[in-house]
């Protein structure tokens, strides 16, 4: 995945350089690439890619401004395009940090749900292993207490219309 990401960096930078640097319509693909990497790979990798995109984008803009990188018609960049480049990089970092924050929160929630699912599976195994059906409510109550930190609880059943305490 990292090799694909690095080659994407090179292709996007070359495309931006050839289509006008700071004025390139392809510069918005950088945003999509960063968001995609953060959501598909990880937020750490996405932030590294954002750093690379920032450096390469500013390098392309500066190369165009100084005339070293004169790949497209229209000459070098002026101060307005330099401002656009700085705003572009700032926007890229805002998008990257926002996406990374939400991706990290989502990842944390998935881990918490995984732990809850493991506890539920353990409870199902204990219920399956119970020798008597009268033990099932007690097992359920104990597992709910340990999993969710419930201090008090009771389980009532009403097989014949009258509530009966079973645990």
């Amino acid at each position: 995945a990292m090799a694909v990401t690095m080659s994407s960096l090179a292709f996007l930078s070359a495309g931006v350089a050839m289509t006008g640097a700071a004025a390139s319509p392809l510069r918005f693909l950088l945003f999509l690439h960063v968001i995609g990497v953060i959501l598909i790979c990880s937020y750490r990798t996405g932030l590294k890619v954002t750093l690379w995109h920032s450096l390469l984008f500013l390098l392309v803009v500066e190369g165009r401004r100084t005339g070293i990188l004169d790949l497209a018609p229209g000459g070098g960049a002026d101060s307005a395009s330099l401002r656009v480049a700085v705003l572009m990089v700032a926007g890229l970092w805002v998008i990257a940090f926002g996406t990374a924050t939400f991706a990290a929160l989502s990842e944390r929630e998935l881990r918490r749900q995984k732990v809850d699912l493991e506890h539920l599976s353990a409870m199902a195994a204990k219920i399956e292993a119970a020798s008597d059906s009268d033990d099932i409510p007690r097992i359920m109550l104990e597992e709910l207490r340990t999993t969710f930190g419930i201090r008090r609880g009771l389980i009532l059943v009403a097989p014949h219309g009258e509530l009966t305490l079973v645990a």
Side-chain angles (χ1 to χ4, degrees):
M2 195 61 182
V4 171
T5 299
M6 295 309 284
S7 63
S8 298
L9 279 166
F11 284 125
L12 285 171
S13 295
V16 167
M18 287 187 222
T19 58
S24 172
L26 297 178
R27 69 182 188 250
F28 297 105
L29 291 177
L30 304 178
F31 289 98
L32 293 176
H33 186 239
V34 166
I35 291 170
V37 169
I38 290 172
L39 294 177
I40 293 171
C41 295
S42 75
Y43 64 92
R44 290 176 195 93
T45 305
L47 293 178
K48 291 174 191 173
V49 166
T50 304
L51 176 64
W52 277 106
H53 272 312
S54 300
L55 292 173
L56 290 173
F57 186 75
L58 291 174
L59 182 69
V60 164
V61 170
E62 187 62 19
R64 288 281 314 262
R65 190 182 71 78
T66 59
I68 295 171
L69 204 68
D70 196 14
L71 299 173
D78 58 358
S79 63
S81 65
L82 195 56
R83 262 181 277 150
V84 169
V86 170
L87 288 174
M88 165 73 183
V89 169
L92 191 64
W93 279 100
V94 167
I95 291 294
F97 279 127
T99 306
T101 300
F102 289 118
L105 291 173
S106 177
E107 189 176 312
R108 190 173 305 130
E109 179 64 21
L110 286 172
R111 279 193 203 115
R112 189 191 62 74
Q113 288 176 359
K114 181 181 175 192
V115 169
D116 289 347
L117 187 59
E118 288 171 355
H119 286 283
L120 182 62
S121 296
M123 181 178 73
K126 287 179 183 177
I127 288 173
E128 185 71 30
S131 59
D132 188 16
S133 64
D134 293 337
D135 291 339
I136 293 174
R138 180 190 51 79
I139 292 170
M140 283 179 56
L141 201 55
E142 285 175 8
E143 289 297 319
L144 288 172
R145 184 184 55 79
T146 58
T147 301
F148 298 109
I150 299 170
R151 287 192 245 167
R152 296 181 188 165
L154 57 96
I155 295 180
L156 301 169
V157 296
H160 305 292
E162 191 71 29
L163 286 174
T164 307
L165 177 67
V166 291

